[in-house]
Amino acid sequence: INSSDPTAFQEIIYVGQDSRQMFDRRKNDWISNNAYLFNASYDGGLTIEVQVNSEFKNSDKAFNIASKYAKVIGQLPTVLRKDVQTVWIHKGNNLFGGGNQNLLIHVGQGSEYISQGILEETLVHESSHTSLNWPGYSLDHGYTKGWLAAQKADDEFISTYAKEHPNWEDIAESFLPWMALRYRTDRISESDVKKILK
């Protein structure tokens, strides 16, 4: 996904501040925060509540941050946004996260992902956890008979990370190469096409 690709994002509206439970990797724990709240709407009737940590000091700064990430989330395939109910946004250079009907964003790390050209791809990975491989929401594909049979039939995994964590990371690691192979072969090398197919 390129930053110039179309987005399903329509608009974002500030709805005020209120207390929210948010996970913060800087503390590696849940926090209660009087967050700035925004409703982001997307094509197809999907709406996400974007919760921005009050550490950003005012609603204008929070709005700019929320808008930036809401647009990128709109570039993800609908199947990866369908179970995203909330987004938590904090400062910090901490890893993003997915699951629990949520996407977790730390903007310092987000800046690094942007400079590396992998922000969109990181959100594909994390939203795959949220919408495709999180116990209890929609269909957890990681435990379906079809997925387990495919894992068994294939002697390899798409990455070492997927191989080390087959129940939790295989889908998140596999979705992006599948999407590239299915819809974006013009954006990857022929050698990568062959490698993914193999």
Side-chain angles (χ1 to χ4, degrees):
I1 300 173
N2 292 334
S3 58
S4 59
D5 281 346
T7 179
F9 172 67
Q10 293 180 328
E11 67 175 347
I12 190 163
I13 299 170
Y14 177 55
V15 294
Q17 279 185 266
D18 203 356
S19 180
R20 291 292 187 270
Q21 291 295 116
M22 309 164 77
F23 194 82
D24 187 336
R25 278 203 204 273
R26 295 170 298 180
K27 298 182 182 296
N28 204 30
D29 203 353
W30 294 92
I31 64 167
S32 181
N33 186 265
N34 190 35
Y36 298 104
L37 305 177
F38 302 88
N39 288 333
S41 58
Y42 298 87
D43 294 347
L46 293 176
T47 302
I48 296 172
E49 182 179 82
V50 183
Q51 305 167 3
V52 181
N53 193 308
S54 59
E55 67 191 338
F56 286 92
K57 301 298 184 193
N58 67 60
S59 60
D60 289 338
K61 287 181 183 175
F63 177 84
N64 290 336
I65 294 288
S67 299
K68 172 182 175 178
Y69 285 101
K71 176 185 179 286
V72 178
I73 291 167
Q75 292 178 304
L76 304 176
T78 304
V79 69
L80 298 185
R81 287 182 286 112
K82 67 183 177 63
D83 284 324
V84 178
Q85 300 295 314
T86 56
V87 174
W88 301 318
I89 300 180
H90 307 287
K91 292 183 178 180
N93 284 75
N94 301 76
L95 296 177
F96 283 20
N100 201 35
Q101 293 186 299
N102 178 270
L103 293 172
L104 167 64
I105 293 169
H106 285 275
V107 298
Q109 187 67 46
S111 294
E112 289 188 26
Y113 290 148
I114 291 167
S115 70
Q116 296 167 8
I118 61 166
L119 174 65
E120 297 84 0
E121 289 74 18
T122 301
L123 286 168
V124 166
H125 176 101
E126 299 304 345
S127 61
S128 292
H129 285 306
T130 305
S131 293
L132 299 177
N133 193 200
W134 187 260
Y137 299 116
S138 290
L139 177 63
D140 182 3
H141 291 279
Y143 293 93
T144 60
K145 288 180 182 178
W147 186 264
L148 295 174
Q151 276 184 329
K152 190 174 180 181
D154 186 354
D155 293 332
E156 298 295 331
F157 289 84
I158 199 70
S159 70
T160 303
Y161 193 40
K163 186 174 185 175
E164 291 172 351
H165 308 280
N167 295 332
W168 182 237
E169 296 296 343
D170 194 20
I171 287 177
E173 288 285 281
S174 297
F175 190 93
L176 184 65
W178 171 83
M179 189 174 83
L181 193 66
R182 185 77 181 262
Y183 298 106
R184 298 283 193 269
T185 53
D186 59 317
R187 295 184 181 179
I188 60 175
S189 68
E190 185 60 33
S191 64
D192 281 347
V193 168
K194 289 177 181 175
K195 192 181 295 185
I196 295 167
L197 283 170
K198 183 180 178 190

